[in-house]
Amino acid sequence: MQRVSLVLAVVVALALVASAGSISGKVSGVSGKSVVYVDTIAGKIFPAPAQHPVMDQKGLLFQPHVLVVQEGTTVDFLNSDNVQHNVFWPSISGDKKAGHNLGTWPKGEKRSWKFDHAGVASLLCNVHPEMSGYIVVSPTPYFAETDASGAYHIKDVPDGSYTVVAWHEGAKNQSKPVTVKGDTTQDFTLTK
Ligand SMILES: [Cu+2]
């Protein structure tokens, strides 16, 4: 009986693995980190993740320079420097109503913000005009950053038809229709 349930468990596990596809490929035309995400899926709402990723201000830099989160995620903004830093973003993808100024605070303190608008927040610090960073807010949990070679891999994407967007700092977004059936590939070439 135990053996039967073990076999059953293996069969169920294999079926689960088989139903989850992926999207992978390469983003070229730019250097450095790009972000690739599945755009809004009609009729689909995803629960907000409980995890709070950290956007640090360290060595007079936003670290990481680019952070991608799912819509609904709360980001903790930390100051690790001995000087005061400010955090503001004038808009999210041009929507000025979604802009916000979190204020200015000293070392060791953090402030949190829930990003419930999909799009890109261009982070600035009004104490240090040379500082800049980005938070890419993906409307779905299906997103990935590229590695040093421009390759990306979005795992656990259910089979279906989607619009997939590639973003890179200073480049034009590129959207492509992708039909996921198991492991699927799609490449992007971005231009400034
Ligand atoms: Cu600063």
Side-chain angles (χ1 to χ4, degrees):
M1 189 59 205
Q2 229 172 9
R3 189 170 297 172
V4 171
S5 52
L6 179 67
V7 168
L8 214 65
V10 168
V11 169
V12 169
L14 285 175
L16 285 173
V17 169
S19 68
S22 68
I23 310 171
S24 50
K26 205 160 176 174
V27 179
S28 48
V30 288
S31 62
K33 191 190 284 181
S34 301
V35 170
V36 183
Y37 61 87
V38 172
D39 208 351
T40 307
I41 304 168
K44 273 266 187 187
I45 294 168
F46 299 96
Q51 223 184 329
H52 291 196
V54 174
M55 174 56 81
D56 201 357
Q57 287 174 291
K58 199 174 181 180
L60 300 179
L61 296 168
F62 282 102
Q63 298 202 43
H65 183 61
V66 175
L67 176 68
V68 55
V69 300
Q70 186 199 311
E71 191 176 340
T73 298
T74 298
V75 175
D76 293 340
F77 291 86
L78 179 67
N79 181 354
S80 294
D81 278 337
N82 287 319
V83 295
Q84 296 220 336
H85 284 298
N86 159 268
V87 178
F88 77 102
W89 52 98
S91 71
I92 292 189
S93 288
D95 178 0
K96 288 188 178 158
K97 282 189 202 138
H100 189 70
N101 190 330
L102 274 177
T104 303
W105 61 98
K107 185 177 187 172
E109 290 182 18
K110 67 178 186 190
R111 294 191 185 176
S112 301
W113 186 260
K114 184 175 178 174
F115 285 90
D116 45 19
H117 284 70
V120 180
S122 175
L123 304 179
L124 296 165
C125 166
N126 64 22
V127 183
H128 306 101
E130 70 280 11
M131 289 179 69
S132 84
Y134 296 90
I135 293 184
V136 180
V137 185
S138 166
T140 66
Y142 312 123
F143 56 77
E145 295 172 356
T146 57
D147 66 14
S149 74
Y152 74 94
H153 179 77
I154 308 174
K155 59 180 170 58
D156 298 335
V157 184
D159 286 357
S161 294
Y162 306 105
T163 300
V164 180
V165 183
W167 172 91
H168 186 91
E169 174 181 4
K172 290 190 199 88
N173 277 6
Q174 189 172 38
S175 297
K176 287 189 173 184
V178 175
T179 298
V180 174
K181 207 176 170 211
D183 294 325
T184 306
T185 58
Q186 180 64 66
D187 293 335
F188 295 87
T189 303
L190 299 183
T191 53
K192 296 276 170 187

